[in-house]
Amino acid sequence: MSAGFCVLIPARLKSTRLADKALADIGGKPMVVRVAERAARAGAERVCVATDHPSILQAVQIAGFDAVMTSEHHSSGTERLAEAADQLGLGDDAVVVNVQGDEPLIEPALISQVATLLQQDNNLQMATACHALSTAAEMFNPNVVKVVLDHAGRALYFSRAPIPYARDAFAQTREVLPDKLPVYRHIGLYGYRAGFLRIYRDLSPCALENYEALEQLRVLWHGYQIGVAIAPQAPAAGVDTAEDLERVRQLWAQTDPQ
């Protein structure tokens, strides 16, 4: 396990596809509390929920975790985290991992893995994760975000397009992936230095992120490095819909992953 990092969990009450999602019951506790429990198991020194609603604040505090109230007007979870980092008085060098409040099955080891990248490389201002893809269908699916890495495991580019593109092999068939083609799917888990969260607030958007609809491209476009941890397998899916919630509830009842 990694030590010496903080997990911040952005959690809004409003959700377009599932009302009051953060407070949805999973095994007798609100979903956001289940996420905090998983984060605590990652070895974080501090776990704190950054929310925009008193009901979430109260639920988290009753469960024994820290929570702070943040603005209702943030356009992204990253902005909410920056405000939370300021409220908590985190120093610029503090390592912060952003764990989404709708990921009750997230692996604690993956959180730790992302934090460790920042702790081990002072040149990184941000870190994330990926896992190897195994099918051509995923490779050519624009809803599956791909990432290409350099020799040191830093992100070269993120895209919805099939990258890296095996020119000769795909000229023959797009039904299978060429052997040993380094194709990775991006996992939306992010780590930052707290100081970079403050810098990020002032970074202007770029055309790449607008066309790809991938916010992390802003970081690369402005010249910052993103380290990428390679997970051994795909993580469990988060909760976006009522169907997702029922699936997670059933899984919890069967296995109690805590």
Side-chain angles (χ1 to χ4, degrees), residues 35-95:
V35 175
E37 290 174 343
R38 302 287 277 181
R41 290 179 57 198
E45 286 187 339
R46 189 171 194 177
V47 176
C48 182
V49 173
T51 186
D52 65 350
H53 201 277
S55 61
I56 295 178
L57 183 85
Q58 182 180 30
V60 171
Q61 291 177 337
I62 287 174
F65 290 98
D66 288 342
V68 294
M69 286 292 297
T70 54
S71 171
E72 299 178 9
H73 306 297
H74 290 307
S75 61
S76 70
T78 310
E79 290 182 3
R80 191 175 307 285
L81 260 62
E83 182 186 350
D86 288 345
Q87 288 195 42
L88 295 173
L90 298 182
D92 284 347
D93 291 332
V95 171

Side-chain angles (χ1 to χ4, degrees), residues 184-233:
Y184 297 103
R185 178 178 189 162
H186 177 230
I187 299 171
L189 175 68
Y190 295 102
Y192 311 85
R193 299 193 192 285
F196 183 69
L197 280 171
R198 298 170 180 124
I199 292 171
Y200 183 89
R201 285 185 294 201
D202 298 323
L203 293 180
S204 59
C206 65
L208 291 175
E209 72 169 289
N210 292 334
Y211 281 114
E212 292 261 22
L214 297 174
E215 188 179 327
Q216 65 269 32
L217 289 175
R218 184 185 312 182
V219 177
L220 296 181
W221 190 85
H222 282 278
Y224 296 95
Q225 295 182 344
I226 302 177
V228 185
I230 300 176
Q233 59 190 17

Side-chain angles (χ1 to χ4, degrees), residues 148-181:
V148 173
L149 311 181
D150 70 6
H151 73 284
R154 295 174 294 236
L156 290 172
Y157 192 66
F158 298 86
S159 183
R160 299 181 183 277
I163 57 171
Y165 193 85
R167 185 194 64 176
D168 295 340
F170 289 145
Q172 300 298 317
T173 179
R174 293 188 177 188
E175 298 300 316
V176 296
L177 292 178
D179 187 39
K180 297 183 180 180
L181 182 69

Side-chain angles (χ1 to χ4, degrees), residues 86-164:
D86 288 345
Q87 288 195 42
L88 295 173
L90 298 182
D92 284 347
D93 291 332
V95 171
V96 175
V97 180
N98 175 1
V99 177
Q100 296 301 312
D102 58 5
E103 302 264 0
L105 299 179
I106 190 167
E107 283 294 333
L110 185 58
I111 299 172
S112 176
Q113 196 175 0
V114 168
T116 297
L117 286 180
L118 290 166
Q119 292 170 325
Q120 293 180 344
D121 188 346
N122 291 328
N123 293 316
L124 298 177
Q125 294 299 316
M126 185 169 165
T128 188
C130 70
H131 69 88
L133 283 182
S134 59
T135 70
E138 291 175 305
M139 173 74 158
F140 287 94
N141 183 348
N143 294 318
V144 174
V145 178
K146 277 72 66 174
V147 58
V148 173
L149 311 181
D150 70 6
H151 73 284
R154 295 174 294 236
L156 290 172
Y157 192 66
F158 298 86
S159 183
R160 299 181 183 277
I163 57 171

